[in-house]
Amino acid sequence: MSHPSPVRTICCIGAGYVGGPTMAVIADRCPEIQVTVVDLNAERIAAWNDPDLSRLPVYEPGLDAVVGRCRGRNLHFSTAVEPAIAAADLVFLSVNTPTKTKGVGAGQASDLRWIEASARQVAACSQGHTIVVEKSTLPVRTAETVQAILTAAQGEGAPGDGSTPGKSFSVLSNPEFLAEGTAIADLENPDRVLIGGEDPVAIEALADIYAHWVAPEQILRTNLWSSELSKLTANAFLAQRISSINSIAAFCEATGADVQEVARAIGTDSRIGPKFLKAGPGFGGSCFQKDILNLVYLCGHYGLHEVAAYWQSVVDLNSWQQHRIARLVVRRLFGTVTGKRLAVLGFAFKADTNDTREAPAIRICRDLLEEGAQLAIYDPKVCAAQIARDLGQAELPAEASERQALSGEGSWRAASSAFEAGAAADAALILTEWGEFAQLDWQALAAGMRQPAWVFDARAVADAAAVRAAGLQLWRVGEG
Ligand code: NAD
Ligand code: UDX
């Protein structure tokens, strides 16, 4: 589907999990548009430019092929922010918006310092008319702030003779709905693209870009505030389903029901639908918790305290589920894991990504370390340095961990395979649903473990019959 677009040059500020893959797909689908992704983080930009496509900073199935097709043609990664903004007809703001850690709203509100800084950079460096698109997930009414910053620069840069117009801006909201691990498929075949704005010409210019590959009826147009709020609402609803199914999983375990059977039974109701009903160790990722906490904060700000409490409970249930799993591991291992070796299989917050932000594995591993466990952690895509940062504790080599075990202090080391992690372990914990964990040779793994040994399958992905046939005891989330 080819479609003309008045936009010839795009700049995206933020080369992260959203900016990188999203711009790669736009460049792939719109060969006549030059797309430059800029970031302050030189190391990240260098990794995006690495000739070895297996070393891109974001792991996503299919991303390497898309980048390989476009990079150097009409897709560029650079630390030169100012010239890229100056040359752009349209700028995406795709910077991080994490939860504030201090000051007003700490622990709930989004930290908007990066969005403000990038809006100021656009105000300072843009030339002529620029469409400014919020791609980051933002509190409802943030566009007002962005607009105020840009308005202050409006008209600047016009020569005295009035021959060329000065700066002007149109602000749009275009939240991203991709999920990590399936980002390329989600971007190439989105359920919908959402564009919020007040300027019809700018809205159509952005819609024309997506119209290169997205059907017209899937490009939704709303006002700015509805667009901003729809993103928070979508994440809140999705997370709520996970807390709901996890609450029922605990109830299944107590009553002898099986959550997979319950999920299948309710998922066939077309009003409920089958997706997002997988019980697990709780949701992780950089979005759900942050966006719900932001919703909670905003509801409180508007005096809607019952609404705030309702959404807060989704996050609380999630934290409870993560601690519950750590506690039940301890209980089943005769009430103590001090000095015991435990194999942790999977550390990323979900399969097919190297992202560990808010991964359930972090909280579960920390709880087990606190109990004095010796963890051997294996994840196919997460490096040891990242695990060390997340656990706030350095890796200990095998001999040192022996000494640590005797002292009762918890320690961890990285393993390069599930088998290495399982050697001499009392239990294996599956915390991420990597495909390879569904295919494990449990006979071989069990042979290296200390008996009686357990498998704690927090993702319900292991072949239960094979686990039991190997003589291992099995706990599976939601199975009574
Ligand atoms: P990220 O942390 O991976 O990337 C953000 C990047 O922006 C960083 O590399 C940072 O260095 C850069 N940056 C910050 N300020 C800058 C500035 N002034 N100039 C240049 N670069 C700057 O974050 P992400 O996961 O890509 O998320 C970005 C936004 O998209 C967030 O608002 C997030 O909520 C939203 N979102 C994320 C996902 C997801 O799955 N990760 C999905 C949908 C929406
Ligand atoms: C989410 C939203 O899905 C996406 O639309 C938004 O743009 C960003 O936030 P993401 O966090 O990347 O995407 O992944 P998602 O697939 O939603 O999974 C989030 C967490 O929920 C993961 O930890 C995952 O394992 C967990 N999950 C998901 C479950 O436990 N059960 C499920 O049924 C689905």
Side-chain angles (χ1 to χ4, degrees), residues 176-178 180 231 242 276 278 284 288 349-350 459:
E176 184 48 61
F177 293 96
L178 69 79
E180 291 180 26
K231 176 63 199 179
I242 301 171
F276 257 69
K278 244 188 138 330
F288 283 171
F349 83 96
K350 64 184 283 197
R459 296 282 187 173

Side-chain angles (χ1 to χ4, degrees), residues 67 106 135 152 157 260 268 282 306 327 346 359 388 404 418 444 449 453 456 459:
V67 171
K135 186 51 107 177
Q260 295 199 51
T268 50
E306 287 73 12
R327 277 199 305 272
Q404 192 92 336
M449 295 175 79
F456 296 94
R459 296 282 187 173

Side-chain angles (χ1 to χ4, degrees), residues 382-391 393 395 412 414:
V382 180
C383 64
Q386 185 59 47
I387 298 174
R389 278 193 291 275
D390 290 333
L391 295 180
Q393 189 170 331
E395 182 181 10
W412 73 276

Side-chain angles (χ1 to χ4, degrees), residues 12-21 38-42 44 48 58 60 78-79 81 85 93-98 113-119 121 135-138 175-181 183 231 235 285-287 290-291 349 355 357:
C12 174
I13 305 182
Y17 283 85
V18 169
V38 296
D39 205 294
L40 301 171
N41 182 336
R44 211 165 202 185
W48 279 112
V58 169
E60 278 292 341
S78 169
T79 51
V81 179
I85 293 174
L93 308 181
S94 188
V95 298
N96 37 319
T97 52
R113 73 177 106 158
W114 292 278
I115 206 80
E116 178 173 338
S118 54
Q121 275 168 310
K135 186 51 107 177
S136 298
T137 303
L138 296 168
E176 184 48 61
F177 293 96
L178 69 79
E180 291 180 26
K231 176 63 199 179
N235 276 353
S286 64
C287 294
K290 152 179 94 71
D291 293 343
F349 83 96
D355 196 348
R357 289 177 290 181

Side-chain angles (χ1 to χ4, degrees), residues 10-32:
I10 289 176
C11 167
C12 174
I13 305 182
Y17 283 85
V18 169
T22 307
M23 294 307 121
V25 169
I26 289 180
D28 197 28
R29 298 302 173 124
C30 309
E32 80 283 11

